[in-house]
């Protein structure tokens, strides 16, 4: 197995000091408390974790294979393409798995090198064969942000190259009680768990959304054969306006809303 490092691990090892840029982020609220709970050996373990790791032709990263130390969010096709470009510079890499955005999404590189994005349905096995190129965000175990409080994970069978995203319930009530018992964190850290999203606006996240609204761009290339809804309810978009490969196959979200505001799921199996 392999354990990679994430932004909250880094903050727990080195909590931001007053005046630091990171001190104003949402993640900083619990960083000092977490730091104090860890032993020196545990901090050393976290500090030694790589930001990216390659296992059996698959690249793993917490945020992105592209500038992983800057913790970019893979919440649009452009960011996913940058991640995939950086990953595929390594020989033999066709698959990248990331977390960080707390949502489950799969991107496939299409015929014209643009990326097709869709939201998978839990429990549906999706073929992701090489040499086609894929980027998956596998979600969050403890704090989803798509309106569903169940924990998320994914399984990849490299013998047949099938990828299955899953959701499982967990005791978020006990987790919320444990957060409140610390007395060190805002109550909305607990409030958001049963909602499966932010319970109140998060300043750092809202700032990122305002600066970089989601752009739905690459609409070319073949669609995965499963987990697709055959309706398109976006105003002004019809089969005649979409490229032939996507006619009747893809429902486009409004490009000016963050992913956390989209209905879920967009897609269901045939």
């Amino acid at each position: 197995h392999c354990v990679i490092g994430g932004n909250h691990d880094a903050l727990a090892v080195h909590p931001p000091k007053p005046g630091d840029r990171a001190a104003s982020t949402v993640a900083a609220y619990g960083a000092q408390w977490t730091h104090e709970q860890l032993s020196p050996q545990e901090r050393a373990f976290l500090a030694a974790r790589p930001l990216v790791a390659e296992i059996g032709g698959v690249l793993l990263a917490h945020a992105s294979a592209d500038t992983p130390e800057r913790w970019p969010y893979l919440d649009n096709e452009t960011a996913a393409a940058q991640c995939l470009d950086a990953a595929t510079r390594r020989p033999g890499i066709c698959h990248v798995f990331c977390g960080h955005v707390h949502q489950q999404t799969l991107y496939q590189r299409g015929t014209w090198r643009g990326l097709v994005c869709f939201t998978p349905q839990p429990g549906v096995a999706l073929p992701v064969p090489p040499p086609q190129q894929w980027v998956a965000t596998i979600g969050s175990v403890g704090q989803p942000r798509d309106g569903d409080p169940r924990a998320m994970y994914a399984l990849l069978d490299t013998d047949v190259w099938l990828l299955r995203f899953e959701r499982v319930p967990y005791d978020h009530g006990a987790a919320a009680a444990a957060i409140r018992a610390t007395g060190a964190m805002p109550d909305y850290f607990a409030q958001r768990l049963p909602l499966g999203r932010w319970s109140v606006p998060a300043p750092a996240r809202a700032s990122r959304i305002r600066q970089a609204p989601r752009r739905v761009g690459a609409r070319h290339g073949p669609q995965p054969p499963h987990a697709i809804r055959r309706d398109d309810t976006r105003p002004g978009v019809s089969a005649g306006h979409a490229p032939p490969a996507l006619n009747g196959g893809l429902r486009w979200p409004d490009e000016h809303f963050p992913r956390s505001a989209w209905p879920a799921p967009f897609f269901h199996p045939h």
Side-chain angles (χ1 to χ4, degrees), residues 9 29 39 47 59 70 80 86 117 120 127 139-140 154 158 163 168 178 180 198 201 208 216 223 248-249 253 257 267:
D9 303 315
Y29 283 120
S39 69
L59 195 68
R70 299 183 65 181
C117 167
S140 168
T158 56
L163 174 62
V168 292
R180 292 188 172 105
W198 292 104
R208 279 191 294 272
V216 176
Q223 294 180 74
F257 282 87
F267 305 95

Side-chain angles (χ1 to χ4, degrees), residues 121-235:
Q121 177 75 7
V124 177
L126 303 172
V128 290
Q132 296 178 35
Q133 298 177 349
W134 309 83
V135 180
T137 59
I138 61 174
S140 168
V141 171
Q143 202 263 295
R145 297 178 184 173
D146 62 351
D148 184 339
R150 293 177 298 168
M152 299 182 251
Y153 69 96
L155 295 172
L156 175 65
D157 185 340
T158 56
D159 289 334
V160 291
W161 292 105
L162 288 176
L163 174 62
R164 193 173 76 245
F165 293 82
E166 296 287 4
R167 304 295 292 259
V168 292
Y170 77 103
D171 191 350
H172 50 69
I179 289 172
R180 292 188 172 105
T182 69
M185 286 171 270
D187 194 63
Y188 81 81
F189 277 22
Q191 295 172 8
R192 65 191 179 181
L193 296 185
L195 302 176
R197 63 173 68 249
W198 292 104
S199 60
V200 297
R205 181 64 174 158
S207 174
R208 279 191 294 272
I209 292 168
R210 286 194 298 271
Q211 293 172 12
R214 188 178 194 281
R215 305 298 300 177
V216 176
R219 301 186 180 184
H220 302 291
Q223 294 180 74
H226 303 295
I228 301 173
R229 176 174 288 171
R230 307 190 70 80
D231 65 321
D232 187 337
T233 61
R234 183 183 175 195

Side-chain angles (χ1 to χ4, degrees), residues 10-261:
L11 282 172
V13 174
H14 300 291
K17 297 179 174 60
D20 290 350
R21 182 178 180 181
S24 62
T25 65
V26 173
Y29 283 120
Q32 184 61 46
W33 180 88
T34 305
H35 178 83
E36 293 168 357
Q37 311 311 305
L38 299 173
S39 69
Q41 293 78 15
E42 290 167 335
R43 294 174 198 160
F45 173 83
L46 293 177
R49 294 309 90 203
L51 300 186
V52 296
E54 182 178 338
I55 300 178
V58 175
L59 195 68
L60 308 176
H62 176 75
S64 174
D66 178 50
T67 59
E69 73 284 354
R70 299 183 65 181
W71 315 114
Y73 276 78
L74 266 61
D75 55 5
N76 61 72
E77 287 86 345
T78 299
Q82 292 169 344
C83 172
L84 191 55
D85 288 343
T88 53
R89 295 188 190 109
R90 299 174 178 234
I93 293 295
C94 296
H95 301 79
V96 191
F97 288 85
C98 304
H100 200 45
V101 294
H102 294 240
Q103 304 207 31
Q104 293 182 326
T105 308
L106 182 63
Y107 299 89
Q108 178 192 12
R109 178 154 278 163
T111 305
W112 292 277
R113 293 189 63 81
L115 265 64
V116 177
C117 167
F118 68 98
T119 301
Q121 177 75 7
V124 177
L126 303 172
V128 290
Q132 296 178 35
Q133 298 177 349
W134 309 83
V135 180
T137 59
I138 61 174
S140 168
V141 171
Q143 202 263 295
R145 297 178 184 173
D146 62 351
D148 184 339
R150 293 177 298 168
M152 299 182 251
Y153 69 96
L155 295 172
L156 175 65
D157 185 340
T158 56
D159 289 334
V160 291
W161 292 105
L162 288 176
L163 174 62
R164 193 173 76 245
F165 293 82
E166 296 287 4
R167 304 295 292 259
V168 292
Y170 77 103
D171 191 350
H172 50 69
I179 289 172
R180 292 188 172 105
T182 69
M185 286 171 270
D187 194 63
Y188 81 81
F189 277 22
Q191 295 172 8
R192 65 191 179 181
L193 296 185
L195 302 176
R197 63 173 68 249
W198 292 104
S199 60
V200 297
R205 181 64 174 158
S207 174
R208 279 191 294 272
I209 292 168
R210 286 194 298 271
Q211 293 172 12
R214 188 178 194 281
R215 305 298 300 177
V216 176
R219 301 186 180 184
H220 302 291
Q223 294 180 74
H226 303 295
I228 301 173
R229 176 174 288 171
R230 307 190 70 80
D231 65 321
D232 187 337
T233 61
R234 183 183 175 195
V237 175
S238 66
H241 294 105
L246 299 182
N247 282 349
L250 187 58
R251 176 181 178 182
W252 297 104
D254 191 302
E255 60 191 7
H256 295 295
F257 282 87
R259 191 180 300 275
S260 59

